[in-house]
Amino acid sequence: MFEQMLLPALQMARSRYQDALANLTEGELVWKLADGSHSVGFLIRHIAEVEYRFCLMFFGRPLPNTVTLDTIGPVKDEGQFTDLSALLAFREQSYAYLLESLRQLPSEAWDHPVEAPIGTLSPRQALGRLIYHTGYHAGQIGLIRKYGGKR
């Protein structure tokens, strides 16, 4: 069910995110739109962490032991996400983990409500919210790369 009905939408959304990162340089990771806002590096890390968190909350898989959620909650961007290769690797690992989680989810579970700290959603609804979340922050990255700079 996932492969035929939902994967194409996820892949399209993901392709737009990847476009926002095209030709990204390590120097751009610290760019922001304004003082106090989040940097490109922070947003890349955040998108990946939310993918992992949704696997935990809605798609039936625990966080890997090596994953920490440093960008979720009331946190401040301290400029620590500046290693481009490490960020891109983390991004790819989270997406692979998400895809595997979605592929393993039984068909009958897709529309069963799941209670989570962010609300009660079915996995199908949660995937929609996750796609929106990624698009929202990918748009921020695009704006930062177009109009922002080092702050």
Side-chain angles (χ1 to χ4, degrees), residues 20-38:
L21 300 180
N23 303 311
L24 182 69
T25 66
E26 198 158 68
E28 290 174 292
L29 294 176
V30 297
W31 286 14
K32 299 178 177 187
L33 275 180
D35 292 336
S37 65
H38 296 305

Side-chain angles (χ1 to χ4, degrees), residues 2-3 6-7 10-11 14 51 55 59 61 92-105 110 127:
F2 166 71
E3 299 282 338
L6 301 173
L7 181 59
L10 178 60
Q11 288 172 325
R14 189 68 174 198
E51 288 175 345
C55 290
F59 308 135
R61 289 189 75 195
E92 290 308 311
Q93 291 162 359
S94 72
Y95 186 60
Y97 197 80
L98 173 66
L99 288 177
E100 185 61 28
S101 300
L102 297 172
R103 286 184 174 114
Q104 290 179 7
L105 195 64
W110 278 97
L127 181 59

Side-chain angles (χ1 to χ4, degrees), residues 16-67:
R16 305 311 302 155
Y17 172 41
Q18 289 173 284
D19 289 349
L21 300 180
N23 303 311
L24 182 69
T25 66
E26 198 158 68
E28 290 174 292
L29 294 176
V30 297
W31 286 14
K32 299 178 177 187
L33 275 180
D35 292 336
S37 65
H38 296 305
S39 66
V40 170
F42 184 95
L43 291 170
I44 293 169
R45 175 71 187 209
H46 176 70
I47 291 168
E49 286 182 13
V50 169
E51 288 175 345
Y52 277 120
R53 189 163 187 234
F54 269 55
C55 290
L56 171 66
M57 291 189 302
F58 298 107
F59 308 135
R61 289 189 75 195
L63 287 178
N65 292 335
T66 58
V67 172

